[in-house]
Amino acid sequence: QVQLVESGGGLVQAGESLRLSCVVSGSSFSSYAMAWYRQAPGKQRARVADISSDGSTHYVDSVKGRFTISRDNAKNTVYLQMSSLNTEDTAVYFCNAGRMSGRYYYEGYWGQGTQVTVSS
């Protein structure tokens, strides 16, 4: 059984940084494409960044230049380094282990989420 556990969320002020981590257990981490999603109150869950098994990355426009997704296959961990945070980044952040075909990301297993709150 594949399990994902996120950590690193918290309350920060606008302009500050946070790094989220997601540890994956129970399967071959290196074979998965990984992604970070977020869900703000009253909004649908949306993908913000993904990384393929070979390390190729993709970001939504709203986080480009501010967020960096990376993976450490030796630690079965994917990271999301977030900088220059603003109040619109406030959301629950979820990790997903899926697969990628071309530029399409197919969702797989979910973590439980970690809350990120950015105050002004």
Side-chain angles (χ1 to χ4, degrees):
Q1 184 177 358
V2 179
Q3 293 185 322
L4 290 74
V5 179
E6 301 101 331
S7 62
L11 172 64
V12 296
Q13 292 189 333
E16 294 185 339
S17 299
L18 273 178
R19 188 176 80 158
L20 307 182
S21 300
C22 172
V23 179
V24 181
S25 60
S27 189
S28 301
F29 174 78
S30 62
S31 68
Y32 285 106
M34 300 296 300
W36 285 96
Y37 288 70
R38 67 185 180 187
Q39 186 168 18
K43 295 187 177 180
Q44 290 187 331
R45 191 177 300 188
R47 190 167 75 252
V48 295
D50 58 63
I51 184 167
S52 67
S53 58
D54 65 3
S56 299
T57 58
H58 174 259
Y59 302 90
V60 296
D61 287 345
S62 60
V63 308
K64 280 181 181 177
R66 301 189 300 120
F67 290 13
T68 302
I69 188 171
S70 62
R71 63 191 299 159
D72 185 338
N73 290 342
K75 295 183 177 180
N76 287 5
T77 302
V78 62
Y79 303 98
L80 186 67
Q81 178 68 48
M82 306 183 293
S83 61
S84 301
L85 286 162
N86 59 61
T87 56
E88 294 183 349
D89 296 317
T90 294
V92 179
Y93 284 72
F94 297 88
C95 176
N96 185 273
R99 63 181 182 90
M100 195 167 286
S101 179
R103 265 309 312 140
Y104 292 99
Y105 181 86
Y106 294 91
E107 299 169 359
Y109 300 95
W110 291 98
Q112 83 288 349
T114 185
Q115 176 71 48
V116 172
T117 303
V118 184
S119 64
S120 58

